[in-house]
Amino acid sequence: MDDIDRRIVQLLRSQARMSYAELARRVGLTSPSVQERVAKLERNEVITGYRAEINPEAIGLGITALVGIVTTAGAEYSDVADAIQEISEVESCYFMAGQESYLLKVRVGTMAQLEHLVTRLSRLPGVGGTRTTIALSTKWEGRPQPTDPDVPDPV
Amino acid sequence: MDDIDRRIVQLLRSQARMSYAELARRVGLTSPSVQERVAKLERNEVITGYRAEINPEAIGLGITALVGIVTTAGAEYSDVADAIQEISEVESCYFMAGQESYLLKVRVGTMAQLEHLVTRLSRLPGVGGTRTTIALSTKWEGRPQPTDPDVPDPV
DNA sequence: CCTGAAAGCCTTCGAAG
DNA sequence: CTTCGAAGGCTTTCAGG
């Protein structure tokens, strides 16, 4: 993970479809070298995937909400996570410090679907309660932040 | 936005670097046709970008936290959002219904950096208070959910 | 939406730094 | 261990239909 790797990561973070040839030009290497580096970054799970960013409204998922989950006394945390994972509307899931053990970001198309989703979540084994807040608008999401220049090597 | 568009979107959502030729094979069109469709999806802002997904720990951002922002009585909401946008650690920003007007997802490398970040946020004009919760782990994030098959055309 | 041809790119080598 | 250069095979691109 040297400076060139960091530049490659940075470039792919904002333009994941950039060709190896173009990446090579920008970092001053040849295309095979860049390809080798990217393959290594993928192997080391520095790069974990490539995603097209979609306008949620365009695919019928105009409502974004956050749902905090309070687990019941005897619940096994990982079982709760496994159950939540089955629910496709849950785009992100964080295990949190605090009263609410999980925080979920969910997306649905209508309020009726949100109601149904929250009902389903509240009925999962191990779930003691939910707290739902609705996003009136998304100002921005998943913005790539500048990579820290001096970081101890991972892996 | 027909079925083929939806399949293209779906494919690019999980494998954004897939070539047009490969996409074409999978949806049963030729490569120029697929390219034309993708260009149109980009123009219509159905596809808003392509991102490499990075393991945050690998780039020195191992700590994820959520920060709720309570705005002061006279504050102009959009000014608060503009001020928050200047802060690079804020990866996502939602304008929320509820007591906390904004919810931010932030990433930093150390607790000291988190402390500093929260301090900076709390001092922004229009910010009356903050509530920070730390993610102990990220179970998953940005998981693409199945696109709704029957959605009225956007745009 | 397709075909066809030219340009460019990706991939895989072997070889060199 | 990483990079380079060159070759073939694909992919992209841009006409024109």
Side-chain angles (χ1 to χ4, degrees):
Chain A
M1 194 72 181
D2 60 6
D3 279 335
I4 293 181
D5 281 341
R6 272 186 281 273
R7 279 192 67 193
I8 291 172
V9 164
Q10 190 102 5
L11 287 163
L12 287 176
R13 270 226 288 188
S14 49
Q15 293 169 247
R17 279 182 72 77
M18 188 181 286
S19 71
Y20 292 125
E22 181 64 26
L23 282 170
R25 264 175 243 122
R26 305 231 190 166
V27 305
L29 292 180
T30 58
S31 159
S33 307
V34 168
Q35 195 191 0
E36 187 51 46
R37 278 169 177 267
V38 171
K40 198 167 288 175
L41 289 166
E42 291 169 356
R43 241 181 288 123
N44 296 345
E45 293 180 343
V46 174
I47 297 174
T48 54
Y50 303 95
R51 299 258 157 100
E53 208 174 54
I54 306 299
N55 177 358
E57 289 175 28
I59 54 173
L61 297 171
I63 296 176
T64 303
L66 292 154
V67 183
I69 303 275
V70 178
T71 49
T72 53
E76 193 65 50
Y77 284 126
S78 56
D79 292 348
V80 178
D82 290 348
I84 294 170
Q85 190 154 23
E86 297 298 310
I87 299 181
S88 66
E89 289 91 337
V90 181
E91 192 177 290
S92 305
C93 173
Y94 305 93
F95 183 50
M96 303 295 293
Q99 290 179 333
E100 298 169 356
S101 302
Y102 289 98
L103 191 93
L104 318 179
K105 186 176 81 183
V106 306
R107 279 201 221 271
V108 292
T110 65
M111 282 296 165
Q113 287 168 8
L114 182 59
E115 179 177 344
H116 184 231
L117 171 59
V118 172
T119 306
R120 265 190 295 158
L121 285 166
S122 68
R123 286 182 187 151
L124 291 179
V127 172
T130 65
R131 184 180 65 95
T132 302
T133 49
I134 290 191
L136 301 172
S137 75
T138 299
K139 295 304 175 190
W140 66 89
E141 210 168 27
R143 178 174 68 165
Q145 46 235 95
T147 40
D148 199 329
D150 35 82
V151 166
D153 274 9
V155 178
Chain B
M1 193 75 180
D2 60 7
D3 279 335
I4 293 182
D5 281 342
R6 273 186 282 272
R7 280 192 67 195
I8 290 171
V9 165
Q10 192 100 7
L11 287 163
L12 287 176
R13 266 222 293 186
S14 49
Q15 294 170 246
R17 280 182 71 79
M18 189 181 287
S19 71
Y20 293 126
E22 181 64 26
L23 282 169
R25 263 174 244 124
R26 306 229 189 168
V27 305
L29 292 180
T30 59
S31 157
S33 307
V34 167
Q35 197 191 0
E36 187 51 46
R37 278 169 178 266
V38 171
K40 199 168 289 175
L41 289 166
E42 291 168 355
R43 240 181 290 120
N44 296 345
E45 291 179 346
V46 174
I47 297 174
T48 54
Y50 302 95
R51 300 259 159 100
E53 209 175 53
I54 306 299
N55 176 357
E57 289 175 27
I59 54 172
L61 297 170
I63 296 175
T64 302
L66 292 154
V67 183
I69 302 276
V70 178
T71 49
T72 54
E76 194 64 51
Y77 284 125
S78 57
D79 291 347
V80 177
D82 290 348
I84 294 169
Q85 189 154 24
E86 297 297 313
I87 299 181
S88 66
E89 289 91 336
V90 181
E91 193 176 290
S92 305
C93 173
Y94 305 93
F95 183 50
M96 304 293 295
Q99 290 177 332
E100 297 169 357
S101 302
Y102 289 98
L103 192 94
L104 319 180
K105 186 176 82 182
V106 306
R107 278 201 222 272
V108 291
T110 65
M111 283 296 167
Q113 287 167 8
L114 182 59
E115 179 176 343
H116 185 228
L117 171 60
V118 172
T119 306
R120 265 191 295 160
L121 285 167
S122 69
R123 286 181 185 151
L124 291 179
V127 172
T130 65
R131 186 181 62 97
T132 302
T133 49
I134 289 191
L136 301 172
S137 76
T138 298
K139 294 304 176 189
W140 65 89
E141 209 167 28
R143 179 174 69 165
Q145 48 234 94
T147 40
D148 199 328
D150 36 83
V151 166
D153 275 8
V155 180

